[in-house]
Amino acid sequence: MTATFAPTKSLPTMPEGWPIGSYDNYKEAQRAVDHLADNEFPVQDVTIVGVEPMLVERVSARLTWGRVLSGGAASGAWLGLFVGLLLSLFTATGGLGPILIGMASGIVFGLASAAMRYGATKGQRDFVSHSQLVARRYDVLCAPRNAELGRTLLMSIPRI
């Protein structure tokens, strides 16, 4: 008995099609494809391709011991509250005691773990940032059978 395997759709493949539009940002490319969809164009033949991708890291804040410890205490308090609520459900007396003990333990654990993680960096990364993958431009590609119609429809998009 031989096994046959269907191709996996999640594997990366090169985009196919003819360029029908090129845009400076993703919002404009998305607007173009939405325009095609609004005009009953077969959008299943369309692909948006980011050309010349870049990883952009935007720094949002300075990281200090106060910020690290307050964040650790807050996340520990939430975890402790959850554990305390579970304990109060399964103890005979219930009440506020298990909840308070859980929160206090969570805060101590959160402070300790945040301090250890931040201390281990030895000041090498004293900032908070968020990364984004962006492209220099976004091309809209279309299967050759509908490319000319797609180009014509995209020329009719009103300028903002």
Side-chain angles (χ1 to χ4, degrees):
M1 178 183 269
T2 57
T4 58
F5 297 98
T8 305
K9 289 184 179 186
S10 63
L11 293 176
T13 58
M14 290 299 290
E16 296 177 0
W18 293 355
I20 61 172
S22 187
Y23 303 93
D24 291 333
N25 58 57
Y26 182 76
K27 185 176 181 180
E28 290 176 6
Q30 191 177 22
R31 181 173 173 250
V33 175
D34 189 46
H35 179 75
L36 293 173
D38 290 345
N39 286 281
E40 298 182 16
F41 184 83
V43 290
Q44 63 273 14
D45 289 347
V46 174
T47 305
I48 299 175
V49 179
V51 179
E52 295 183 40
M54 298 179 261
L55 180 64
V56 178
E57 184 174 10
R58 300 188 194 284
V59 178
S60 58
R62 182 170 177 259
L63 199 55
T64 62
W65 274 105
R67 185 180 296 259
V68 168
L69 294 178
S70 63
S75 67
W78 279 110
L79 178 64
L81 176 65
F82 175 71
V83 171
L85 285 170
L86 286 178
L87 287 175
S88 71
L89 291 174
F90 297 110
T91 57
T93 57
L96 200 57
I99 295 172
L100 294 176
I101 291 171
M103 282 186 68
S105 301
I107 290 171
V108 169
F109 177 76
L111 284 169
S113 64
M116 287 189 301
R117 280 192 313 268
Y118 185 62
T121 67
K122 296 181 179 155
Q124 293 298 308
R125 190 170 167 90
D126 284 342
F127 59 91
V128 178
S129 66
H130 307 283
S131 295
Q132 253 184 330
L133 188 62
V134 296
R136 189 160 310 280
R137 78 170 192 272
Y138 294 87
D139 290 342
V140 176
L141 306 182
C142 179
R145 66 179 168 263
N146 292 313
E148 198 57 44
L149 174 61
R151 250 187 232 111
T152 303
L153 285 170
L154 291 181
M155 284 192 273
S156 70
I157 294 178
R159 296 284 176 201
I160 296 177

